[in-house]
Amino acid sequence: MSDATQSAAAIPARDPTYNFAYLDEQTKRMIRRALLKAVAVPGYQVPFAGREMPMPYGWGTGGVQVTASILTADDRLKVIDQGADDTTNAVSIRKFFQRTAGVAVTEKTAEASVIQTRHRIPEAPLADGQILVYQVPIPEPLRFLEPRETETRKMHAYQDYGLMHVKLYEDIARHGHIATTYAYPVKVEGRYVMDPSPTPKFDNPKMSDCPALQLFGAGREKRIYAIPPYTKVESLDFEDHPFTVQSWEQRCALCGAEDSFLDEVLTDDKGGRMFVCSDTDYCGDRRAQGFRGEAAEDAA
Amino acid sequence: MYVAVKGGERAIENAHRLLAEDRRGDPAQSEIAPEQIRDQLKLAVDRVMTEGSLYDRDLAALALKQARGDQIEAIFLLRAYRTTLPRFGAAVPVETSRMALERRISATFKDLPGGQILGPTFDYTHRLLDHDLAEGHAPAAPAEGAPAPDDAPRVLDLLAQEGLIEEAADGDRPAREPGDITREPPSFPAERDVRLQTLARGDEGFLLALGYSTQRGYGRTHPFAGEIRLGTVAVEFEPEELGFPVEIGEIEMTECQMVNQFKGSAEQAPCFTRGYGVAFGHGERKAMAMALVDRSLRADAFGEERDSPAQDEEFVLSHCDNVQATGFVEHLKLPHYVDFQSELELLRRLRREHAEKTQPEAAE
Amino acid sequence: MTSSSEDLDAQPLLAVEDLAKRYGRHMGCEAVSFRLWPGEVLGVVGESGSGKTTLLNCVAGRLTPDAGRVLYSDRLGAVRDLHGIAEPERRMLMRTDWAFVHQNPRDGLRMGVSAGANVGEPLMAVGARNYGAIRSAAGDWLAKTEIDVGRIDDPPRTFSGGMQQRLQIARSLAAGPRLVFMDEPTGGLDVSVQARLLDLLRGLVTELKLAVIVVTHDLAVARLLSHRLLVMRGGRVVETGLTDQVLDDPQHPYTQLLVSSVLQP
């Protein structure tokens, strides 16, 4: 299949110049303490002393630090960006952990013990014992309504969340429906309003009552938060304008799936386009099972 | 048959090979050595050390070479390297009043103990391109003179003797151990130790613009350059098992102390106030800009209105780090297919609904 | 108009005891005590610098006084010491029981969101989650404050000054407060607009049986709105009594000066 799978099969030796998974053990302990607190207070943003990493801020330094702190030599790591294992940044982060931790990697959602992701939750249901690590750019769901940290921390402390609904109200007043499509705010276990990271709202329902542990790392903003397994996560809405997810008129052109998030691909400069699964592993799995879409090689 | 685009490791590897070739440039030219950068592009190296928070001329020069002269990229390289270094402890505070001076000027007193020392400066040069530098040249030997005194008192200490300026330890100095922004997450409001650390590694351009804005009326502080000094200071470290400090080396640094007006309040008599700036190596512009911004950020301590950007602690401290800023700005290059797809779908729907509303007949 | 202060069995809504606030050596207000009964409108008058706005801010929980207490009797009859309770509890009171009307409507409105959202926000802050119900409540409040309901989706920056002030009043009353603080509510408006707003305010206060503390330097506003008056000078209360009594037969020389300096009609 792709280049990534081939190189993923052979586990390269760990580069001994660096400590296991790059970070020193003290830093990992500091991050683990923050993670424990985050798990204990679901949805609460725990400040942590994020380190400078060898990749730029905004490119996954938070997720990388979380992954580095929880990774063990026996883990099998999957890294996705936009749902795909072979996007450049996913490739780069996977290589980083192959080099510094020497861990096994995989593209199979079901085989991974740790999955680091940017912007998607895999389509295949996650299982007990798996950990999903999200890369988060702006952890504060209230940030674009109130830019000041000193204010937003008070708003969380006092559950002063009226402003959050003002935004949704304005959407409905203007457009007839809520016009937030990604980074759609959620309330965790009835207490903290939380930013799910810029995943499409399509993925929001997967967060609730999920058997896997969900960890969120924001490196530049130095915040960690978590959703423990089987925690209730509600997307904010109004009784008479309930939360809904995106749906497509099309099916995946490769595997025919009608239940997955579809990426639009421009096929020519005359308006030609097709829709394919954003989750490449899910799509490949379905094709291996014999499902075919209209543009698949042996269809038609 | 459609085959989805693969980002692929090969593309990344090829891009990096191209980068290496571009970095080398025309192979007919001799390759630049880090030592040349270290010695001949000193000010670039100094800035990388200051904002990279690591005093190592050779590594900073190497970073500049690797970054093809891009300062922020070089700073980033140094910072990422710094993360991997073990920490032995904190040095004893350096004593800048015992600095071996290369340069020392005051804009507040014509003459003063220790004298004014101009040192190596662009000041008072005419900014005319010097075509002689295009060829190899040997500069004339500098003039010889009496060695600079190594215990010139700081100008602000002279003012303090008369009580004309606030005490340095004016309650801004915490009773606790100073904070460490590389080991503790930021929280607001910040105390001055943390503010100064953040400003010290803050972007020179950003602080320069903010400092400039205070001079143009956005949070005016009526500053005078009380003293700017450049020179080397000894770094001392006290190993726990020894119980007394030992000198472990020396570093070159620039220090700027601004003197600012303060009209006084109900509790406080009028006096001068301080703004403090510091940089590794020779970094006058940075140290001065930092001193202006430091003083502006102390608005609350003097009951001044806070209504300008340079007085807004959260705004200044949250945005002055160029490694953070460049990472987040440049992350827009990363794929956002999924979010964009979601917005695309919404936009199409909104446009369809809009068309149905405005042209009901067309919709039929 | 009858003053509810005659209901002597009723528990006061608010009891202010010996309140003081200093700014360095300068005194903001000192030794201020008064009571406010449900449905009563108390006017606080005095020239600028007399300490009336400082007093209002201390009583409304926006400033912490240096001495004294503010006791509030809540809907269940429990008495709460405003500056003794924890911040979350105080914020909850401010959302559910109290409202504040600023002189400048920009201080009380969100200028970037629609009029409907401005009025709906206090409802959403206390848990309203039905869009249709929030919107119709917002529409009702716009109508009550004489704002064209057709403007419900317009942002307040497109409104005139008088409309903005009426919108602020609608927003402050939407969550059904028992006690409203007003700081020079007609201060920034021209005279003809003032009269209409005062009329509106008087009607709403009576209809909703609101208790109000209104700070004003304008004796005409005080006469029209309030049952009782506190006259302040140099941070202290120099005279207090029923509005007509104070204005028609002032006892303190400062009040006499204040009253005589107003052009009689």
Side-chain angles (χ1 to χ4, degrees), chain A residues 31-53:
Chain A
I31 294 174
R32 288 179 200 139
R33 279 195 294 272
L35 286 168
L36 287 174
K37 183 167 179 183
V39 169
V41 192
Y44 171 74
Q45 300 167 50
V46 182
F48 83 110
R51 301 291 195 254
E52 252 102 12
M53 297 301 282

Side-chain angles (χ1 to χ4, degrees), chain A residues 1-4 7 18 22-24 27 30 47-59 81-83 86-89 91-92 94-95 98 118-120 137-138 147-151 174-175 177-182 198-201 220-223 246-249 254 261-265 267 273-276 278 280 287 295-297, chain B residues 1-13 16 51-53 73 75-87 180-190 201 306 312-315 318-319 321-350 352-353 357:
Chain A
M1 233 174 86
S2 71
D3 300 350
S7 62
Y18 301 98
Y22 193 75
L23 293 175
D24 60 284
T27 298
M30 174 274 292
F48 83 110
R51 301 291 195 254
E52 252 102 12
M53 297 301 282
M55 56 277 295
Y57 283 113
W59 298 52
D81 188 339
Q82 313 299 302
D86 59 357
T87 34
T88 43
N89 204 45
V91 169
S92 159
R94 186 168 53 235
K95 282 182 82 169
Q98 284 179 296
R118 175 168 172 266
H119 292 198
R120 276 311 309 277
I138 305 269
R148 274 173 205 291
E149 186 71 19
T150 35
E151 268 309 303
R174 191 165 310 143
H175 307 300
H177 42 77
I178 294 170
T180 301
T181 59
Y182 61 93
T199 48
K201 65 176 181 174
R220 193 178 37 79
E221 301 276 342
K222 298 186 170 57
R223 295 288 184 274
Q246 292 103 325
S247 60
W248 283 260
E249 289 160 14
L254 298 179
F261 189 94
L262 299 180
D263 272 347
E264 185 171 338
V265 182
T267 52
R273 54 173 183 249
M274 58 190 283
F275 290 82
V276 295
S278 111
T280 46
R287 277 179 282 155
E297 150 176 78
Chain B
M1 155 70 185
Y2 168 78
V3 182
V5 184
K6 299 287 179 191
E9 295 177 62
R10 204 181 321 140
I12 296 181
E13 263 159 37
H16 293 171
E51 292 169 35
S53 301
E73 181 69 21
I75 290 161
F76 179 16
L77 287 167
L78 213 56
R79 290 259 195 103
Y81 177 76
R82 187 184 191 277
T83 293
T84 66
L85 299 177
R87 168 167 308 211
D180 181 346
I181 59 167
T182 67
R183 288 292 183 273
E184 292 147 27
S187 78
F188 297 105
R201 52 154 50 182
R306 278 210 305 173
D312 187 330
E313 177 181 277
E314 261 203 68
F315 177 79
S318 304
H319 300 114
D321 189 296
N322 53 26
V323 177
Q324 288 176 6
T326 198
F328 202 49
V329 167
E330 295 196 50
H331 108 285
L332 293 173
K333 292 184 284 193
L334 286 178
H336 286 79
Y337 316 138
V338 166
D339 295 348
F340 188 73
Q341 187 61 47
S342 302
E343 290 290 270
L344 206 56
E345 190 255 350
L346 175 70
L347 188 66
R348 285 192 180 124
R349 181 165 150 203
L350 292 176
R352 200 166 53 236
E353 288 166 2
K357 244 184 273 172

Side-chain angles (χ1 to χ4, degrees), chain A residues 100-135:
Chain A
T100 59
V103 290
V105 297
T106 180
E107 293 191 358
K108 300 260 163 253
T109 300
E111 287 175 8
S113 55
V114 176
I115 304 171
Q116 177 164 334
T117 180
R118 175 168 172 266
H119 292 198
R120 276 311 309 277
I121 299 176
E123 305 289 3
L126 299 176
D128 218 337
Q130 287 185 305
I131 302 178
L132 183 60
V133 178
Y134 296 74
Q135 301 173 199

Side-chain angles (χ1 to χ4, degrees), chain B residues 262-271:
Chain B
F262 172 54
K263 291 200 184 70
S265 67
E267 287 88 24
Q268 265 177 294
C271 65

Side-chain angles (χ1 to χ4, degrees), chain C residues 121-238:
Chain C
E121 183 180 352
L123 297 170
M124 293 185 258
V126 295
R129 290 294 177 266
N130 187 299
Y131 174 82
I134 293 165
R135 195 170 169 81
S136 83
D140 290 349
W141 276 107
L142 293 186
K144 268 189 198 153
T145 49
E146 301 169 14
I147 296 171
D148 176 5
V149 179
R151 304 288 307 265
I152 190 166
D153 292 329
D154 294 344
R157 67 185 142 72
T158 64
F159 289 9
S160 68
M163 273 173 79
Q164 286 182 3
Q165 193 58 299
R166 294 201 301 280
L167 182 64
Q168 191 195 182
I169 289 162
R171 175 179 162 97
S172 65
L173 300 183
R178 304 167 71 208
L179 173 57
V180 183
F181 301 95
M182 299 183 185
D183 186 9
E184 305 272 11
T186 61
L189 306 172
D190 63 48
V191 180
S192 62
V193 179
Q194 270 192 23
R196 182 176 168 198
L197 189 77
L198 277 174
D199 226 35
L200 176 78
L201 269 180
R202 191 160 66 160
L204 285 172
V205 165
T206 314
E207 181 194 332
L208 302 167
K209 300 187 175 58
L210 294 172
V212 178
I213 299 181
V214 53
V215 158
T216 179
H217 69 283
D218 186 337
L219 295 186
V221 170
R223 189 190 279 278
L224 211 65
L225 284 182
S226 45
H227 304 127
R228 225 157 34 98
L229 280 187
L230 289 184
V231 183
M232 290 192 71
R233 189 190 188 199
R236 291 173 180 274
V237 176
V238 294

Side-chain angles (χ1 to χ4, degrees), chain B residues 103-349:
Chain B
R103 170 167 164 79
R104 189 266 195 127
I105 55 164
S106 170
T108 50
F109 295 101
K110 186 172 181 193
D111 199 7
L112 61 164
Q116 306 249 19
I117 305 165
L118 217 43
T121 178
F122 292 125
D123 297 349
Y124 316 113
T125 63
H126 293 143
R127 267 59 170 208
L128 302 171
L129 268 179
D130 183 354
H131 293 284
D132 290 348
L133 287 175
E135 304 294 326
H137 80 299
E144 300 275 335
D150 58 4
D151 59 349
R154 283 180 297 223
V155 172
L156 273 70
D157 294 345
L158 301 174
L159 285 172
Q161 283 170 8
E162 258 191 275
L164 292 175
I165 192 159
E166 56 166 335
E167 290 294 316
D170 66 336
D172 273 351
R173 180 177 295 181
R176 52 179 171 76
E177 280 289 294
D180 181 346
I181 59 167
T182 67
R183 288 292 183 273
E184 292 147 27
S187 78
F188 297 105
E191 297 201 46
R192 194 170 175 215
D193 51 340
V194 166
R195 281 205 314 249
L196 287 170
Q197 284 176 31
T198 311
L199 295 177
R201 52 154 50 182
D203 182 75
E204 178 172 317
F206 181 74
L207 296 182
L208 177 67
L210 282 175
Y212 174 50
S213 72
T214 68
Q215 292 179 282
R216 293 191 65 259
Y218 290 84
R220 194 165 174 215
T221 60
H222 305 269
F224 298 94
E227 181 171 10
I228 296 164
R229 51 170 65 202
L230 160 72
T232 48
V233 290
V235 178
E236 294 179 325
F237 183 76
E238 186 176 321
E240 251 177 73
E241 60 273 28
L242 221 54
F244 56 88
V246 290
E247 189 174 321
I248 55 171
E250 56 179 29
I251 60 172
E252 186 189 43
M253 58 193 295
T254 308
E255 182 185 61
C256 171
Q257 299 216 67
M258 289 284 176
V259 178
N260 303 267
Q261 272 182 23
F262 172 54
K263 291 200 184 70
S265 67
E267 287 88 24
Q268 265 177 294
C271 65
F272 288 121
T273 58
R274 298 165 184 260
Y276 187 80
V278 73
F280 282 151
H282 193 174
E284 257 171 70
R285 185 188 299 121
K286 167 67 185 279
M288 292 178 76
M290 175 178 164
L292 289 175
V293 176
D294 169 45
R295 175 58 184 80
S296 288
L297 288 177
R298 300 177 66 210
D300 280 350
F302 304 109
E304 296 163 345
E305 283 293 315
R306 278 210 305 173
D307 48 16
S308 299
Q311 298 168 313
D312 187 330
E313 177 181 277
E314 261 203 68
F315 177 79
V316 173
L317 299 190
S318 304
H319 300 114
C320 72
D321 189 296
N322 53 26
V323 177
Q324 288 176 6
T326 198
F328 202 49
V329 167
E330 295 196 50
H331 108 285
L332 293 173
K333 292 184 284 193
L334 286 178
H336 286 79
Y337 316 138
V338 166
D339 295 348
F340 188 73
Q341 187 61 47
S342 302
E343 290 290 270
L344 206 56
E345 190 255 350
L346 175 70
L347 188 66
R348 285 192 180 124
R349 181 165 150 203

